[in-house]
Amino acid sequence: MPLSEYVGNLHMHTPYSDGELSHAAIATVAMRAGLDFIIVTDHNVWVQGPEHYYEEAGQRVLMLVGEEVHDQTRIPQKNHLLVYNTDRELAPYARDPQVLLDTAREVGALTFLAHPFDPPMPALKELGLEWANWEVTGYTGLEIWNYMTEFKGLITSYVAAFRYAFYPEQGIRGPAPETLAKWDELTAAGQRVVAIGNSDAHGTEYGLFGVRRVIFPYEFLFKQVNTHVLTETAFTGDYAHDKRLVLDALTKGHCFVAYDALGSPKGFRFSVNHDRGVAIMGDEVFNKSGITLQIAVPARARLRLIQNGKVIVEHADQTHITHIAQAGEAGVFRVEAHLMFKGQWRGWIYSNPIYVRG
Ligand SMILES: [Zn+2]
Ligand SMILES: [Zn+2]
């Protein structure tokens, strides 16, 4: 049964917090950018009402509403948590991140630590908004790649600010190495951690040397770092049905993170053949009699198969990798694909792991 693939962005803001565009206006630009679904996540406010399909000129986009929650009394500010599929306002629980996670879980919500490593921006006197309380448990996953966070990290001087505000593609490289290392550490220790990648779009306008510029428009950001979900059945256009498919895929880790601006990653697959069938990224399999890992990307790329945080297979210019793990061999396997762009390797695709138990 072929899988269906849908592209979404799961982190953005409206005027309910510090974003510029309304829900309806965001839906319009998301359609223009070719997204299939979006999740709006205003700071510490759960907005009821805008969850439905938006349609225009024969196109449609599924809009869901989550929330980005943090403790507004904490000094300094840290611990931004993305919450999806809540049925109530969760901001009152933010004081203790573990209580927030537990409450979210009780109401059936998914939780992702947003921009877990977030650089300070001394040029604008901003501190980092990283995740501080790593002792917490019970979250769904990590936002491994946040475009605006990576952009912020490039702003080390006024010259850099000017350069990357106009040519961000020269600086954007991939998830922070600290984030990938943390993710590998958590999964190698036995935790299932689903990775997502997002824009964190606000549409804010800044002045740079007298030039007013929006850094960056929502439509631009929706064509950069996105999350692709894989579903066993196709979207029908029914809001409740398709919402369930998106949330199921995110819960199970049936998804990957991609830098879509480098080239469409549609068709990327990472699967494993085992004695009971085929599993895909996010799944857990038991390796009783040997397994075959299979990777396919839609264009030649530098491909890496990573086991417990270590690269075990690398090909510089390939579309496929097949790798056999002997009976009993265990590990957390994930895939990265990189492309050369403007003289540098850039991260293109980051799969979720397949958890192989011995
Ligand atoms: Zn945030
Ligand atoms: Zn945000």
Side-chain angles (χ1 to χ4, degrees):
M1 176 92 171
L3 296 164
S4 297
E5 178 174 342
Y6 299 101
V7 191
N9 206 284
L10 325 176
H11 186 165
M12 64 198 67
H13 300 271
T14 76
Y16 280 92
S17 58
D18 54 354
E20 296 299 320
L21 292 192
S22 68
H23 290 83
I26 288 176
T28 298
V29 295
M31 279 183 264
R32 256 192 249 146
L35 294 182
D36 300 301
F37 65 96
I38 47 179
I39 308 183
V40 180
T41 51
D42 275 307
H43 294 286
N44 302 301
V45 55
W46 176 54
V47 182
Q48 272 182 284
E51 268 209 0
H52 54 86
Y53 260 108
Y54 291 73
E55 296 185 37
E56 211 173 285
Q59 286 184 297
R60 70 182 184 205
V61 66
L62 173 66
M63 178 179 286
L64 306 178
V65 179
E67 186 176 4
E68 184 177 19
V69 181
H70 71 279
D71 176 7
Q72 298 172 80
T73 65
R74 190 187 193 284
I75 299 172
Q77 300 276 295
K78 303 285 173 203
N79 296 339
H80 285 198
L81 184 73
L82 294 168
V83 179
Y84 306 141
N85 196 41
T86 182
D87 65 353
R88 69 200 64 181
E89 178 57 68
L90 290 172
Y93 303 96
R95 185 66 68 89
D96 179 335
Q98 189 60 61
V99 170
L100 174 61
L101 287 165
D102 293 344
T103 310
R105 202 181 179 85
E106 278 162 28
V107 304
L110 285 66
T111 47
F112 291 84
L113 314 190
H115 40 77
F117 290 84
D118 190 62
M121 220 173 19
L124 296 181
K125 295 192 175 63
E126 279 188 25
L127 296 172
L129 290 170
E130 70 274 10
W131 191 267
N133 289 79
W134 284 103
E135 72 282 4
V136 296
T137 57
Y139 49 92
T140 311
L142 300 180
E143 183 184 54
I144 63 161
W145 197 354
N146 175 306
Y147 188 94
M148 286 309 297
T149 287
E150 187 179 8
F151 171 72
K152 262 176 58 181
L154 296 170
I155 307 307
T156 51
S157 66
Y158 285 104
V159 174
F162 196 73
R163 174 182 175 194
Y164 294 121
F166 287 92
Y167 306 104
E169 71 283 359
Q170 292 184 0
I172 295 298
R173 299 282 291 274
E178 302 94 317
T179 305
L180 294 176
K182 190 69 185 179
W183 183 32
D184 287 333
E185 176 195 317
L186 293 166
T187 58
Q191 191 177 335
R192 293 169 60 98
V193 182
V194 178
I196 56 171
N198 296 314
S199 62
D200 205 352
H202 290 76
T204 310
E205 198 179 89
Y206 291 94
L208 289 165
F209 299 110
V211 182
R212 299 296 299 174
R213 187 170 170 84
V214 175
I215 310 278
F216 293 101
Y218 292 76
E219 186 172 350
F220 168 82
L221 287 174
F222 291 165
K223 295 173 182 166
Q224 309 302 314
V225 176
N226 289 310
T227 300
H228 292 233
V229 299
L230 301 175
T231 62
E232 278 163 30
T233 57
F235 280 9
T236 61
D238 175 71
Y239 143 75
H241 174 269
D242 297 351
K243 172 181 178 175
R244 184 41 50 205
L245 288 182
V246 168
L247 295 173
D248 276 353
L250 292 174
T251 304
K252 292 173 179 161
H254 292 173
C255 53
F256 61 91
V257 176
Y259 185 13
D260 287 337
L262 287 186
S264 174
K266 278 198 174 175
F268 165 67
R269 296 294 182 266
F270 174 38
S271 59
V272 55
N273 294 336
H274 56 104
D275 55 6
R276 294 198 182 162
V278 180
I280 64 165
M281 58 189 105
D283 290 340
E284 185 175 66
V285 297
F286 291 89
N287 184 5
K288 295 287 173 229
S289 48
I291 56 169
T292 306
L293 296 150
Q294 295 195 319
I295 300 155
V297 290
R300 302 179 79 88
R302 182 172 78 180
L303 292 182
R304 284 181 177 165
L305 176 61
I306 295 159
Q307 179 180 13
N308 298 338
K310 293 198 174 55
V311 178
I312 58 162
V313 181
E314 176 168 323
H315 291 293
D317 187 27
Q318 243 335 327
T319 55
H320 289 78
I321 289 180
T322 300
H323 177 77
I324 292 170
Q326 302 301 325
E329 185 181 345
V332 179
F333 293 86
R334 64 178 183 85
V335 175
E336 292 182 7
H338 308 142
L339 290 176
M340 184 59 82
F341 178 70
K342 294 193 186 286
Q344 288 184 334
W345 287 109
R346 318 277 175 169
W348 182 32
I349 295 170
Y350 295 80
S351 81
N352 262 288
I354 296 177
Y355 303 85
V356 178
R357 311 299 184 196

